[in-house]
Amino acid sequence: MSRRFDTVVHGGRLVLPGRVFPGTIGIRDGVIAAIGDDASEFASAEAIDAEGHLVLPGAVDMHVHFRDPGLTDKEDFSTGSAAAAVGGVTTVGDMPNNKPPITTNERFVSKRDDVATKSHVDYVLWAGGVHPDEMPGMAASGAIGFKVFMNKFERPDGAEWTGKESPLSPELFMDDDARLLDVFRTAAALRLPVAVHLGNQDFTRRAMFPWANKPFSEFARAMRAEPAIEYLESAQKCVLFARETGVHLHFVHVPAEVLPIVRDAKASGLDMTVESLCPFMTFDLIEVLGPLGYHRYRPPESVSLLWQGMRDGLIDAVATDHAPHLLEEKRQGFADVLNCPSGYPEVQTSLPMMLDEMNKGTITIHQLVRLMASGPARVLGIQHRKGSISVGKDADLVVVDPDSEWTITNEQQKTKCGWTPFDGRRIRGRPVLTVLRGEVTAREGELVAARRGRLIGMP
């Protein structure tokens, strides 16, 4: 006898933990209610035909910058989440690099309430880990964790930060080791992670101040030889403080040079996780893209180490650090490197490009799912709802055509800034349908449903 569901997904190959098989998913009240291999046992009013395709859990991009509030000429929660949905991402983690930065409970609540009706995907909100006395309030208001920045925007001419030239607001900068230790202690007591943007402002200042008012081309070669000492120093310090406090320590966009520290820390039993950027921006593109790829260029040996860390499980998650800067802001780097903001928009293209790497044999389908769904869900502490196709979890799915060959273009991008550094790149593998809590939200590169994303993490 068949069982009744609100929606049934049938005909595709389901990618479940440890196996891939032809199966059917029954969805009821937005939750996966049943999984089976006999489609005749599933009946519903709505059916999604995934014939010939893979069915993956919706991707979780735990590190995006949707710029809302304060910098919405670049992006807002509606446009950023639209790009996510079209790209097969069903949950995002938005960072506190806003204007003003999210460093107090008052600002956190204001942002939380302001974006509540804007999102096309589910989301969590990171808070700035600057003031220990503000952290309990932000946790009670729904913060998923605390972001610590070990760098800030600074120019030798003392120019004021505007948010256009750099995402590194001075107000988010952690310049006091005693206070950093207090932030770790407070987060540990709240049982929430601390996500650290590694760096050392003294080293950064020494390396970058000579670049001021000079063109990108003059320093393109020097960028290849940037020393890793600031990342190594700050990573060692954070590991020491994590051992002292017992906090869940998370490194964002971890440099390859730091991976030996991560390996040793994990082997010692430290509660530690790390995320990597999608390592697509290699130095062989620097002559083609110039400042559009700044500050993401990596040497081949570092890229190889990152891929290896993803394959062997040392790296827990891949996240985009989606940075929707306007093209004119990025192009400022042609004349003045320090006026060029770091990063680029990527939340829409990350899953397709990782599928392309899967097709090339760089990673397996199970490694992809771990890096882009189950891994980030575990880091965020939302694995009971997100990250895998399992009974009882939210019915967040992405139907993928693994064999589709297509070209990424600027015109496809839903981000408000309207461009991608990968414009013109030919890849294989494409999300064709995105499902959020049982409802189709995007199909064939276009949104098909109203905004219905929810904040995850409220007590």
Side-chain angles (χ1 to χ4, degrees):
M1 178 181 295
S2 63
R3 291 173 287 173
R4 297 291 301 179
F5 301 94
D6 300 328
T7 304
V8 164
V9 182
H10 65 89
R13 289 175 294 147
L14 310 183
V15 182
L16 273 63
R19 61 179 179 144
V20 180
F21 75 104
T24 301
I25 299 172
I27 300 169
R28 189 181 295 122
D29 297 326
V31 173
I32 297 172
I35 301 170
D37 55 11
D38 185 352
S40 66
E41 296 181 355
F42 294 75
S44 68
E46 299 289 336
I48 296 172
D49 185 358
E51 184 70 33
H53 294 151
L54 293 172
V55 181
L56 279 61
V60 178
D61 190 340
M62 61 180 294
H63 188 152
V64 302
H65 298 277
F66 284 173
R67 308 301 185 203
D68 198 350
L71 296 165
T72 52
D73 57 326
K74 299 169 179 271
E75 188 81 283
D76 58 47
F77 233 87
S78 178
T79 57
S81 62
V86 167
V89 176
T90 53
T91 304
V92 296
D94 191 57
M95 289 294 174
N97 309 44
N98 299 117
K99 192 177 182 184
I102 309 305
T103 57
T104 69
N105 188 44
E106 180 180 7
R107 291 178 183 178
F108 182 88
V109 170
S110 178
K111 173 178 177 173
R112 182 198 69 189
D113 294 348
D114 181 63
V115 305
T117 60
K118 294 181 178 180
S119 187
H120 294 278
V121 300
D122 285 350
Y123 58 95
V124 297
L125 298 176
W126 291 89
V130 180
H131 307 300
D133 58 334
E134 291 284 346
M135 291 168 60
M138 291 190 283
S141 297
I144 201 70
F146 303 97
K147 179 74 174 289
V148 169
F149 292 82
M150 309 293 279
N151 291 100
K152 65 176 178 177
F153 168 74
E154 187 179 24
R155 287 186 62 105
D157 57 12
E160 183 179 354
W161 177 80
T162 69
K164 294 185 177 295
E165 69 291 281
S166 170
L168 301 177
S169 166
E171 195 175 337
L172 286 164
F173 175 47
M174 177 56 68
D175 60 350
D176 182 325
D177 284 350
R179 187 154 47 94
L180 177 63
L181 189 61
D182 288 342
V183 166
F184 278 33
R185 283 198 180 105
T186 304
L190 295 168
R191 302 179 67 84
L192 290 176
V194 171
V196 179
H197 174 120
L198 295 170
N200 178 302
Q201 191 65 15
D202 293 330
F203 288 123
T204 299
R205 185 182 298 119
R206 175 181 293 180
M208 297 186 68
F209 272 17
W211 298 7
N213 302 308
K214 295 181 180 179
F216 182 86
S217 58
E218 188 170 327
F219 288 92
R221 182 172 298 179
M223 290 175 191
R224 298 174 185 262
E226 280 188 284
I229 186 66
E230 67 168 308
Y231 305 119
L232 297 170
E233 183 270 345
S234 56
Q236 292 280 26
K237 177 167 61 180
C238 288
V239 166
L240 176 64
F241 286 10
R243 284 203 176 99
E244 175 70 18
T245 62
V247 75
H248 172 185
L249 175 63
H250 179 74
F251 287 161
V252 303
H253 39 70
V254 63
E257 295 84 354
V258 172
L259 291 179
I261 296 174
V262 172
R263 189 180 299 277
D264 290 346
K266 286 189 171 190
S268 73
L270 195 72
D271 185 6
M272 183 176 191
T273 52
V274 297
E275 72 189 56
S276 170
L277 292 168
C278 303
F280 303 138
M281 193 57 66
T282 55
F283 270 118
D284 59 351
L285 295 172
I286 200 167
E287 301 298 332
V288 177
L289 296 175
L292 299 188
Y294 176 81
H295 192 243
R296 300 280 184 84
Y297 294 112
R298 299 290 183 269
E301 57 272 22
S302 294
V303 172
S304 295
L305 288 170
L306 290 172
W307 283 120
Q308 185 58 47
M310 294 181 208
R311 287 190 292 267
D312 66 20
L314 181 61
I315 292 173
D316 300 273
V318 163
T320 63
D321 196 7
H322 175 77
H325 303 295
L326 302 178
L327 262 177
E328 59 260 32
E329 294 170 353
K330 293 293 290 185
R331 286 171 175 157
Q332 292 174 148
F334 282 113
D336 183 349
V337 180
L338 293 195
N339 265 351
C340 180
S342 176
Y344 44 74
E346 197 175 15
V347 71
Q348 185 172 331
T349 57
S350 59
L351 177 57
M353 291 181 67
M354 290 291 280
L355 288 166
D356 188 55
E357 294 295 335
M358 178 197 75
N359 279 315
K360 293 175 181 176
T362 309
I363 54 173
T364 68
I365 184 62
H366 291 297
Q367 288 165 345
L368 183 152
V369 168
R370 178 181 61 80
L371 291 163
M372 300 200 74
S374 59
R378 281 195 299 271
V379 174
L380 294 170
I382 58 173
Q383 68 272 24
H384 61 293
R385 294 186 56 179
K386 307 291 186 181
S388 64
I389 299 176
S390 306
V391 172
K393 293 192 178 183
D394 289 351
D396 295 351
L397 309 169
V398 55
V399 179
V400 166
D401 183 346
D403 299 317
S404 174
E405 294 188 12
W406 59 291
T407 301
I408 297 171
T409 67
N410 287 337
E411 290 72 25
Q412 298 158 353
Q413 305 310 303
K414 303 303 180 185
T415 175
K416 185 180 285 188
C417 64
W419 69 283
T420 168
F422 306 113
D423 178 53
R425 180 175 290 201
R426 188 81 175 165
I427 63 171
R428 181 177 167 216
R430 186 174 197 172
V432 296
L433 186 143
T434 305
V435 178
L436 177 66
R437 284 181 277 106
E439 182 175 326
V440 176
T441 59
R443 188 190 302 270
E444 298 291 350
E446 299 295 334
L447 291 169
V448 296
R451 295 186 290 262
R452 59 189 297 269
R454 298 175 182 168
L455 174 67
I456 308 299
M458 280 292 289

